Amino acid sequence: MSHSELRKLPSIDRLLQQDAVAAARGQFGHDLTVETARALLDETRAAIVGNGQPCPELAELAAALRVRLHAATQPTLQPVINATGVIIHTNLGRAPLSDDALAAMRLAGEGYSNLEYDLGAGQRGSRYVHAVDLLRRLTGAEDALVVNNNAAAVLLCLMALARGRQVIISRGQLVEIGGGFRIPDVLQTSGAVLVEVGTTNRTHLRDYQAAISPQTAALLRVHSSNFRQIGFTAEVSLAELVTLGQQYNLPVIDDLGSGTLLDTTRFGLAYEPRVQDSVQAGATLVTFSGDKLLGGPQAGLIVGQHAAIARLRQHPLTRALRVDKTTLAGLAAALSHYLRGRAEQQSPVWRMIAAQESELAARAAVWAERLAEAGLNAHVVPSASTVGGGSLPGETLPTRLLALPGLPADRLAARLRTGQPAVVARIVDDALCFDPRTVLPEQDELLLAAILAAFQALL
Ligand SMILES: *Cc1c(COP(=O)(O)O)cnc(C)c1O
């Protein structure tokens, strides 16, 4: 049996001569097509010999080869519709970018630019000038520097100012951000020596003061981005730390994590530290992320006093942490939304934060209606969205979810995740739910089509 089946298996040349395969060769290239065809035939042969399986028809093999070629050349990084209601979702790529930011990145990427060229003088310039003026104007800082991400920003500050010396930090701020970023580890990597003061829940100014020695290089404050302490707690304010630092001539480094340029309390949220408030309070250096609440591309932004920024700029590590031209272009565009007072309208992150419950309810209702027309049992239920990205822990924004009760939520969710485009939703009370807050309006039709396709595949 398997012998006669084995005889039916085409040679590689015969498979390659099929019209469909010849076309695939044009599309995917000769080498990849031949290599994939060889692997396919080897596996088919093994299945015939090992499992006694029948030999597929030639046309079937040709079709299987196309599927494999397609899969091999598809980018693994693909768009996802975020229906989770978590606005800054680190696993889903954090901040979606504004149209202006995307256009600026495209423009910087498709041709040459004055990235490191002074057009006025006709000579070499610096890539570090591009976002500096915007950051200075928006934060009130004397100077600014942009690096790869905020983890890099913190590392650079510590290396440049405190390597081989001591950095004082409250025990309540020895945080783990996620993705393996732990403040004690970063300190160790930088070559600075960690000096912990206070207790987990309470740290006083006198604790810092008692720890200051000739070995002290800096005072570090880290925003407890992703958790909140309640009850019997005490923290030293940044202003108090700055005063202490001035007394002993010590720089104060303030890692804000997300940081924000807009006042989050205006949106019914708790206060998330504003960058300009830290600058105003007198921090020597303030670090924050480009792709959290700022709503730009991945970057680490450092603003602060000129002399300290100058030291960072000269540090050899800065070269290793430097940002790409498309990042600088996107960042400048994202920052200019704030300069023009248009972030709420133009930055997707702030549009999502600012979206009114009534608006979300209307969208969810339209989704439910459309799905009901197609025979699905769809409801609109009140719920809450979160900001995410290690900011505003425990804070929520009221929303309305589209819920699909009575369907196997796990199986439907798995279908949606592996569809094209992929959809990530959340399960509430055994029902798969979709939060319109984080679904971009132009994705509505794609989402509905994906839900219907996943539903039909379950039948
Ligand atoms: C998010 C965060 C970081 C890391 O920022 P990345 O931009 O992700 O590198 C560092 N510190 C704090 C307090 C954070 O919240």
Side-chain angles (χ1 to χ4, degrees), residues 94 149-151 177 181 222-223 225 255-258 289 291-292 299 390:
R94 289 198 182 156
N149 58 15
N150 187 36
I177 303 305
F181 183 86
V222 178
H223 177 52
S225 300
D255 173 19
L256 289 183
S258 176
S289 288
D291 55 354
K292 289 183 179 172

Coordinates of all heavy atoms in Angstrom, one line a residue, residues 94 149-151 177 181 222-223 225 255-258 289 291-292 299 390, ligand 1:
R94 N 1.7 49.5 23.0 CA 1.5 50.8 23.6 C 0.7 51.8 22.7 O -0.2 51.5 22.1 CB 2.8 51.4 24.1 CG 3.3 50.6 25.3 CD 4.4 51.4 26.0 NE 4.9 50.6 27.2 CZ 6.1 50.8 27.7 NH1 6.9 51.8 27.2 NH2 6.5 50.1 28.7
N149 N 14.5 54.4 25.1 CA 13.3 54.3 25.9 C 13.6 54.8 27.3 O 14.7 55.2 27.6 CB 12.8 52.8 25.9 CG 13.8 51.8 26.4 OD1 14.8 52.2 27.1 ND2 13.6 50.5 26.2
N150 N 12.6 54.7 28.1 CA 12.8 55.3 29.5 C 13.7 54.5 30.3 O 14.4 55.0 31.2 CB 11.4 55.5 30.1 CG 11.5 56.3 31.4 OD1 12.3 57.2 31.5 ND2 10.7 55.9 32.4
A151 N 13.7 53.2 30.1 CA 14.6 52.3 30.9 C 16.1 52.8 30.6 O 16.9 52.9 31.5 CB 14.5 50.9 30.5
I177 N 8.7 47.4 37.1 CA 7.8 48.0 36.1 C 7.1 46.9 35.3 O 6.0 47.0 34.8 CB 8.5 49.0 35.2 CG1 9.2 50.0 36.0 CG2 7.6 49.6 34.2 CD1 8.3 50.8 37.0
F181 N 12.1 45.1 34.2 CA 12.7 46.4 34.6 C 12.5 46.6 36.1 O 11.4 46.9 36.6 CB 12.1 47.5 33.8 CG 12.8 48.9 34.1 CD1 13.9 49.3 33.5 CD2 12.2 49.7 35.1 CE1 14.5 50.5 33.7 CE2 12.8 51.0 35.3 CZ 13.9 51.4 34.7
V222 N 11.4 57.5 42.1 CA 10.8 56.7 41.1 C 9.3 56.7 41.3 O 8.8 56.4 42.4 CB 11.4 55.3 41.1 CG1 10.6 54.5 40.0 CG2 12.9 55.3 40.8
H223 N 8.6 57.1 40.3 CA 7.1 57.1 40.4 C 6.6 55.6 40.5 O 7.0 54.8 39.7 CB 6.5 57.8 39.2 CG 5.0 57.8 39.2 ND1 4.3 58.2 40.3 CD2 4.1 57.4 38.3 CE1 3.0 58.1 40.0 NE2 2.9 57.6 38.8
S225 N 4.6 53.7 39.4 CA 3.6 53.7 38.2 C 2.5 52.8 38.4 O 1.3 53.2 38.2 CB 4.4 53.3 37.0 OG 5.4 54.2 36.7
D255 N 12.3 59.8 38.0 CA 11.8 58.9 37.0 C 10.3 58.9 37.0 O 9.7 58.2 38.0 CB 12.4 57.5 37.1 CG 11.8 56.5 36.2 OD1 11.2 56.9 35.2 OD2 11.9 55.3 36.4
L256 N 9.6 59.5 36.1 CA 8.2 59.6 36.1 C 7.5 58.4 35.5 O 6.3 58.2 35.6 CB 7.7 60.9 35.4 CG 8.0 62.2 36.1 CD1 7.4 63.3 35.3 CD2 7.4 62.2 37.5
G257 N 8.2 57.6 34.8 CA 7.6 56.4 34.1 C 6.8 57.0 32.9 O 7.4 57.4 31.9
S258 N 5.5 57.0 33.0 CA 4.7 57.5 31.9 C 4.9 59.0 31.8 O 5.2 59.5 30.7 CB 3.2 57.2 32.2 OG 2.4 57.8 31.2
S289 N 8.6 58.2 29.4 CA 8.5 57.4 28.2 C 7.9 58.2 27.0 O 7.0 59.0 27.2 CB 7.6 56.2 28.4 OG 8.3 55.2 29.2
D291 N 6.2 56.5 24.6 CA 5.0 55.8 24.0 C 4.0 55.4 25.1 O 3.2 54.5 24.9 CB 5.5 54.6 23.3 CG 6.4 53.7 24.1 OD1 6.8 54.0 25.2 OD2 6.7 52.6 23.6
K292 N 4.1 56.1 26.3 CA 3.0 55.9 27.2 C 2.0 57.0 27.0 O 1.5 57.2 25.9 CB 3.6 55.8 28.6 CG 4.3 54.5 28.9 CD 4.8 54.3 30.3 CE 5.6 53.0 30.5 NZ 6.2 53.0 31.9
A299 N 10.5 55.9 23.0 CA 11.6 56.7 23.2 C 11.7 57.0 24.7 O 10.8 56.8 25.4 CB 11.5 58.1 22.5
G390 N 1.3 51.0 32.9 CA 1.9 51.3 34.2 C 1.6 52.7 34.6 O 2.5 53.4 35.2
Ligands
LIG1 C1 7.4 52.3 32.2 C2 8.4 52.8 33.2 C3 9.8 52.7 32.9 C4 10.3 52.1 31.6 O1 10.0 52.8 30.5 P1 10.2 52.3 29.0 O2 9.8 53.4 28.2 O3 9.2 51.1 28.9 O4 11.6 51.8 28.9 C5 10.7 53.1 33.8 N1 10.3 53.6 35.0 C6 9.0 53.7 35.3 C7 8.6 54.3 36.6 C8 8.0 53.3 34.4 O5 6.7 53.4 34.7

